[in-house]
Amino acid sequence: MRLKGKVAVITGSAKGIGRATALEFAKEGASVVVNYAKSETAAEETAKEIGSRSIVVKADVSKKEDVETLMKVTVKKFGRLDILVNNAGHSSDKAWLAELNDIDDALWYSALDIDLKGTFLCSRAASKIMLKQGSGKIVNVSSIPALVGDERGLVYTVAKAGILGLTKALARMFAPKIQVNAMVLGSIKTGWIDWLDKKELTEIMSAIPLKRLGKPEDVAKLAAFLASNDSDFITGQTIIIDGGETMF
Ligand SMILES: NC(=O)c1ccc[n+]([C@@H]2O[C@H](COP(=O)([O-])OP(=O)(O)OC[C@H]3O[C@@H](n4cnc5c(N)ncnc54)[C@H](OP(=O)(O)O)[C@@H]3O)[C@@H](O)[C@H]2O)c1
């Protein structure tokens, strides 16, 4: 068990990739804080599946006070914090499909506040605890458009690109005690698939050499590696997990 005795906060872990990561970390021996903003029932279910080594904490990652409470409750319950996975992300078809001239302030800040500012706030709050402990792992979540662009999802792309810069800055700032890395995800089968029509899905699949969408569990296994001591000599990296869709 690679994460035995470790304590992990996984933001947005009620469903999707966050949930799979919470379950994988628990399987690897970690105690897990399941965080949600809106999906209370799903969060309770995830925590129930893990059992006594899990608690549920409601916190909006874009709000400083919520984030500080999230970390405080974690330490109060489990006594430490070893791993932070910044998984929470804004997802809406409106943001993804918006035309250039329809991007107003609300849309602009939607993904920037949750994905980018949320990652910053959580990393800063977690680092205070991890630096005192002398060790820690931060795993961020980015996306292929941050590397290659996309005709759509401009605000999302900007937020996810910001996360890559933040990853490198924090990796240097927190070294050598804390390792900070980013996973760059390709097409992973979660709720967003519902926005696509059959033609789009076929196009996406045909661009993936491994001929399938990623599973949340595929991402969870990479997150577990980056959260474990097996990755102790890796920091500031962007690690692509996309079935070979992009090959750099
Ligand atoms: N699926 C893909 O193909 C793909 C590709 C690239 C990157 N990603 C990234 O992977 C991450 C997980 O996405 P997913 O596919 O699993 O989608 P998802 O099921 O929609 O998960 C998004 C999670 O973020 C949480 N969240 C949203 N706003 C939040 C806030 N203000 N505070 C705390 N939590 C918040 C949601 O929780 P509530 O419901 O409780 O609000 C939800 O659990 C996201 O960062 C996404 O951008 C996904």
Side-chain angles (χ1 to χ4, degrees):
M1 290 208 285
R2 286 186 294 180
L3 305 178
K4 198 166 171 31
K6 307 274 187 196
V7 176
V9 169
I10 303 164
T11 66
S13 44
K15 56 188 185 180
I17 293 161
R19 172 185 153 83
T21 305
L23 297 178
E24 179 68 21
F25 279 24
K27 207 169 84 188
E28 290 282 1
S31 299
V32 179
V33 176
V34 176
N35 158 252
Y36 73 97
K38 293 187 187 134
S39 303
E40 183 175 7
T41 309
E44 298 285 0
E45 276 164 19
T46 303
K48 196 170 159 205
E49 209 168 318
I50 295 171
S52 61
R53 272 188 291 112
S54 184
I55 56 166
V56 172
V57 181
K58 180 178 181 178
D60 179 338
V61 296
S62 69
K63 300 207 167 92
K64 186 170 167 271
E65 297 71 26
D66 281 22
V67 167
E68 277 166 7
T69 304
L70 173 63
M71 303 308 164
K72 213 182 274 174
V73 171
T74 300
V75 174
K76 193 166 180 217
K77 169 72 183 172
F78 295 115
R80 54 187 296 116
L81 171 60
D82 303 287
I83 303 159
L84 166 68
V85 181
N86 284 307
N87 166 76
H90 174 75
S91 55
S92 90
D93 51 352
K94 194 172 157 229
W96 184 256
L97 299 172
E99 297 290 339
L100 188 64
N101 291 322
D102 293 334
I103 298 173
D104 56 12
D105 277 8
L107 211 60
W108 178 253
Y109 287 112
S110 58
L112 281 167
D113 271 354
I114 297 171
D115 296 58
L116 184 53
K117 186 177 155 205
T119 298
F120 163 67
L121 289 176
C122 289
S123 300
R124 185 172 63 179
S127 73
K128 286 182 193 155
I129 304 159
M130 292 173 175
L131 288 171
K132 248 190 236 158
Q133 281 171 192
S135 66
K137 301 274 186 180
I138 297 177
V139 182
N140 294 331
V141 177
S142 183
S143 184
I144 293 297
L147 299 177
V148 301
D150 198 294
E151 296 81 9
R152 296 175 297 182
L154 184 139
V155 176
Y156 169 82
T157 300
V158 171
K160 292 301 197 192
I163 287 173
L164 299 183
L166 183 66
T167 298
K168 291 172 203 289
L170 296 181
R172 288 192 187 277
M173 209 174 270
F174 297 157
K177 291 182 176 168
I178 303 171
Q179 288 82 56
V180 189
N181 292 291
M183 304 185 294
V184 182
L185 315 188
S187 300
I188 313 297
K189 201 172 183 314
T190 60
W192 71 276
I193 292 290
D194 301 341
W195 309 340
L196 304 173
D197 59 35
K198 221 173 161 192
K199 186 170 161 271
E200 273 181 299
L201 200 54
T202 312
E203 275 170 19
I204 288 173
M205 296 283 277
S206 68
I208 303 174
L210 295 185
K211 294 296 166 220
R212 67 170 175 88
L213 296 174
K215 292 180 280 186
E217 293 75 16
D218 293 321
V219 180
K221 287 195 169 76
L222 174 58
F225 166 69
L226 292 173
S228 77
N229 294 116
D230 290 347
S231 63
D232 277 355
F233 200 51
I234 302 175
T235 199
Q237 301 304 314
T238 59
I239 295 161
I240 301 171
I241 173 164
D242 69 349
E245 190 176 350
T246 55
M247 295 192 189
F248 287 93

